[in-house]
Coordinates of all heavy atoms in Angstrom, one line a residue:
T80 N 147.2 -3.0 70.4 CA 148.0 -3.5 71.6 C 148.9 -4.6 71.2 O 150.0 -4.7 71.7 CB 146.9 -4.0 72.6 OG1 146.0 -2.9 73.0 CG2 147.7 -4.5 73.9
Y103 N 177.4 16.6 73.0 CA 176.2 16.1 72.3 C 175.3 15.5 73.3 O 175.6 14.6 74.1 CB 176.6 15.0 71.2 CG 175.4 14.4 70.6 CD1 174.6 15.1 69.7 CD2 174.9 13.1 71.0 CE1 173.5 14.5 69.1 CE2 173.8 12.5 70.4 CZ 173.1 13.2 69.4 OH 172.0 12.7 68.9
F169 N 177.5 23.9 51.4 CA 176.5 23.0 50.8 C 175.8 23.9 49.7 O 175.4 25.0 50.0 CB 175.5 22.5 51.7 CG 174.4 21.7 51.1 CD1 174.6 20.4 50.6 CD2 173.1 22.3 50.9 CE1 173.6 19.7 49.9 CE2 172.1 21.6 50.3 CZ 172.3 20.3 49.8
S199 N 162.1 24.4 91.2 CA 162.8 23.3 91.9 C 164.2 22.9 91.3 O 164.9 22.2 91.9 CB 161.9 22.0 91.7 OG 161.7 21.7 90.4
L260 N 167.7 42.5 84.6 CA 168.3 41.2 84.2 C 167.5 40.1 84.9 O 167.2 40.2 86.1 CB 169.7 41.2 84.7 CG 170.4 39.8 84.6 CD1 170.6 39.4 83.1 CD2 171.8 39.8 85.2
M281 N 148.3 34.8 78.8 CA 148.6 34.7 77.4 C 148.2 36.0 76.7 O 148.9 36.5 75.8 CB 147.9 33.5 76.8 CG 148.3 33.2 75.4 SD 150.1 32.7 75.3 CE 150.2 32.4 73.5
E282 N 147.1 36.6 77.2 CA 146.6 37.8 76.6 C 147.6 39.0 76.8 O 148.0 39.8 75.9 CB 145.3 38.2 77.1 CG 144.1 37.3 76.7 CD 142.8 37.6 77.3 OE1 142.8 38.6 78.1 OE2 141.8 36.9 77.1
P292 N 161.3 45.9 73.4 CA 162.5 45.2 72.9 C 162.7 43.9 73.8 O 162.1 43.7 74.8 CB 163.6 46.2 73.1 CG 163.1 47.1 74.1 CD 161.7 47.2 74.0
S352 N 178.1 28.1 69.2 CA 179.1 29.2 68.9 C 179.4 29.2 67.4 O 180.5 29.3 67.0 CB 180.3 29.0 69.7 OG 180.1 29.0 71.1
E400 N 160.6 28.3 51.7 CA 161.9 28.0 52.3 C 161.8 26.7 53.1 O 162.7 25.9 53.1 CB 162.3 29.1 53.2 CG 163.7 29.0 53.8 CD 164.2 30.2 54.5 OE1 163.4 31.1 54.8 OE2 165.4 30.3 54.8

Side-chain angles (χ1 to χ4, degrees):
T80 304
Y103 175 74
F169 175 74
S199 60
L260 170 67
M281 191 65 178
E282 290 175 3
S352 300
E400 185 173 12

